[in-house]
Each structure stands twice: as structure tokens, then as C-alpha cells.
């Protein structure tokens, strides 16, 4: 099964943000907890708008949340 | 993600209900189809199938709603639905092409084309497309997109 080329630091950023839960993040960005889980596990690539919302929640730049790592 | 979400439970329940009612219907009408029965002879089993589908769906929704809370639809849900609908459309399109080929073949070979057979072929195509859509929704939620 091919992996998405985009990695993220959402779990790490949640931990450093007063140990925010997946449900709390989901509510703040307007999606379900299952979607947050899928994004963290690199099983779903969020839309650009959703990616910016996630970055805004953690008050960091988009590149600090998501990293593009294409397979060689 | 070992537990099913509310939407996955709903889709799985709908899939099982569709399979059960469809299988039950076609097992019941198989003898009628094989002996070339008239279309009106299928009315009774068809009504039973429709009523059974509605009843099973109501029971399914009541059982799920009583044990879990519904969550709003987000972009991932829409994405999964869109991909599943694409597969369903491809299935229906393929069945239509096969159906046209079967009608042309039967016409060329001068084989009988009973209205009941044609109606059931179309109905089965639609049901198959629905089943493909439900399966692909479940696959979309569980696997890599």
C-alpha cells in the first residue's frame, strides 16, 4: 500500500499545546476526530484550507506542520 | 482505528440490509424468471422487498442512533463519498454497456427478450452499483486515499 508523500507533526504539536486532544483539535478546525486521526497517520491529505486552519490553531507556519517527502 | 465510526456503522448496516433483501428477493423470484413469468407476477415479491428494505433501514438507524451520536459531515466524508460514487458510476456504466450488448446479441440470434428479464437486469445493475458504492465507502474510510 503506497504511503502519502506528506508527513506532519500534528501529534507533536498537540502535545506541546497543553496536550490538546484530537477531539479538541477536530472541534477547532471543524472536522471529525476520525479525520484528525487519519491526517496524523498520513492516511488522508487535508485540503489546503484545512491545512492552513491546522497551522493557525498551533500558531505556526504551514511548513512547520506539514512536510513534503516524495518517494525516491 | 479499530472501532467503527458512526458513519461506517451506518454504511455497513445499509450494505448488509441491501445484500440481505436483494439476495432474498432474487432467490424468491428465480423460479419465476426461469419459467418466463409475466411482469405482473413479480409485483408481490417486489413490494415485499421494498417494504423489507424500509423496515430494515429504520431498525438499523434506530439501533445505531441509540448507541452512538451522529457527527457532522466533513471534507474527508465528502471525499470518500465522491470516490465511492465514481466507482458506482463506473459499475453502472459497465452494466449498461453489457446490457446493450446482451440485447443486441439476443436480437441478432433471434432469442426471446422477456420484459421481466430486462426489468430485473436493470434493477440488478442499479443494486450492484449501490453495493459497490457502500463497499468503496468502507474501503475509503479504512484504507489509504
Amino acid at each position: 500500500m503506497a504511503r502519502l508523500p506528506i508527513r506532519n507533526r500534528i501529534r507533536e504539536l498537540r502535545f506541546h499545546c497543553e496536550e490538546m486532544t484530537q477531539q479538541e483539535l477536530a472541534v477547532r478546525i471543524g472536522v471529525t476526530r476520525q479525520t484528525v486521526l487519519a491526517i496524523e497517520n498520513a492516511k488522508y491529505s487535508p485540503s489546503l484550507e484545512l491545512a492552513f486552519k491546522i497551522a493557525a490553531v498551533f500558531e505556526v507556519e504551514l511548513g512547520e506542520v506539514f512536510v513534503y517527502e516524495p518517494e525516491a | 482505528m479499530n472501532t467503527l465510526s458512526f458513519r461506517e456503522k451506518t454504511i455497513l448496516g445499509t450494505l448488509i440490509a441491501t445484500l440481505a433483501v436483494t439476495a432474498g428477493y432474487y432467490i424468491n423470484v428465480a423460479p419465476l424468471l426461469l419459467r418466463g413469468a409475466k411482469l405482473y407476477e413479480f409485483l408481490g415479491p417486489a413490494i415485499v422487498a421494498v417494504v423489507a428494505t424500509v423496515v430494515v433501514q429504520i431498525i438499523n438507524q434506530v439501533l445505531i442512533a441509540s448507541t452512538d451520536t451522529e457527527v457532522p459531515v466533513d471534507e474527508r466524508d465528502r471525499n470518500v463519498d465522491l470516490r465511492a460514487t465514481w466507482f458506482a458510476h463506473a459499475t453502472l456504466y459497465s452494466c449498461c454497456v453489457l446490457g446493450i450488448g446482451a440485447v443486441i446479441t439476443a436480437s441478432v440470434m433471434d432469442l426471446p427478450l422477456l420484459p421481466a428479464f430486462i426489468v430485473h437486469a436493470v434493477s440488478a445493475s442499479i443494486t450492484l452499483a449501490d453495493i459497490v458504492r457502500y463497499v468503496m465507502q468502507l474501503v475509503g474510510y479504512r484504507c489509504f486515499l
Side-chain angles (χ1 to χ4, degrees), chain B:
Chain B
M1 277 196 288
N2 293 322
T3 58
L4 296 177
S5 66
F6 175 80
R7 276 186 61 83
E8 287 175 284
K9 289 177 190 175
T10 302
I11 294 166
L12 184 61
T14 304
L15 173 63
I16 292 172
T18 301
L19 286 170
V21 172
T22 303
Y25 174 77
Y26 280 100
I27 288 172
N28 273 326
V29 302
L32 296 176
L33 283 170
L34 289 174
R35 70 172 172 83
K38 298 288 185 185
L39 203 55
Y40 67 86
E41 296 182 63
F42 296 91
L43 189 59
I47 291 174
V48 170
V50 169
V51 171
T53 300
V54 171
V55 169
V56 168
Q57 287 287 18
I58 290 173
I59 294 173
N60 179 39
Q61 292 298 321
V62 167
L63 284 175
I64 291 172
S66 67
T67 57
D68 204 337
T69 55
E70 187 171 357
V71 293
V73 174
D74 64 9
E75 66 169 50
R76 178 167 163 260
D77 296 321
R78 287 190 292 270
N79 199 321
V80 167
D81 287 346
L82 193 63
R83 285 174 176 260
T85 301
W86 184 91
F87 281 100
H89 171 264
T91 301
L92 188 59
Y93 190 90
S94 301
C95 287
C96 287
V97 171
L98 287 173
I100 291 171
V103 170
I104 292 174
T105 303
S107 176
V108 167
M109 298 178 65
D110 203 22
L111 296 172
L113 269 177
L114 299 172
F117 181 79
I118 294 174
V119 166
H120 282 84
V122 172
S123 171
S125 300
I126 295 171
T127 303
L128 182 61
D130 277 343
I131 290 171
V132 166
R133 182 162 65 93
Y134 299 141
V135 169
M136 292 313 298
Q137 282 178 320
L138 291 173
V139 169
Y141 277 116
R142 287 281 136 178
C143 298
F144 164 75
L145 278 183

Side-chain angles (χ1 to χ4, degrees), chain A residues 37-49:
Chain A
L37 179 62
I39 294 172
E40 286 188 2
N41 292 331
K43 287 193 172 184
Y44 174 68
S45 284
S47 65
L48 196 57
E49 179 183 352

